[in-house]
Amino acid sequence: CQYCGSIHSAGDLTLDHVVPRSRGGKSTWENLVSCCRRCNNRKGDRLPTEAGMGLVRHPQPFNLHTSRNLMRQLGHHQQAWRKYLFY
């Protein structure tokens, strides 16, 4: 989780818009982080600073190495993640 730093399986993570879509946030890699459901619910429709939460790492686009590893690990086993991995 990019908010609390806890380790979860891919199926237990959600994608969070750092700047919520309702506040103009885009669905880009620069605005998306993986986080646990607890942190996603806690943050809600707020900015991390408004929720009193910090990011372990700031979001950035995937590099080729990361993209290949994610596709290999998740793409074939987690149908819900495919729309984020294959574009």
Side-chain angles (χ1 to χ4, degrees):
C1 174
Q2 290 302 310
Y3 292 111
C4 69
S6 62
I7 305 296
H8 297 272
S9 68
D12 291 330
L13 291 171
T14 64
L15 282 179
D16 178 62
H17 290 81
V18 177
V19 177
R21 288 183 293 173
S22 65
R23 298 173 90 176
K26 305 289 184 200
S27 293
T28 63
W29 290 118
E30 294 85 0
N31 191 45
L32 291 168
V33 294
S34 61
C35 67
C36 65
R37 286 177 171 79
R38 180 175 172 228
C39 285
N40 200 336
N41 289 334
R42 178 178 161 212
K43 179 178 167 280
D45 198 27
R46 300 178 289 177
L47 299 174
T49 54
E50 294 170 346
M53 302 168 76
L55 286 165
V56 174
R57 283 181 288 210
H58 290 279
Q60 60 186 5
F62 286 161
N63 61 33
L64 183 59
H65 176 73
T66 303
S67 183
R68 284 183 180 164
N69 280 334
L70 281 172
M71 285 189 283
R72 184 176 61 237
Q73 293 175 17
L74 300 174
H76 298 293
H77 302 290
Q78 298 286 336
Q79 181 70 31
W81 283 81
R82 288 186 186 182
K83 63 183 173 183
Y84 301 108
L85 298 173
F86 300 103
Y87 51 93

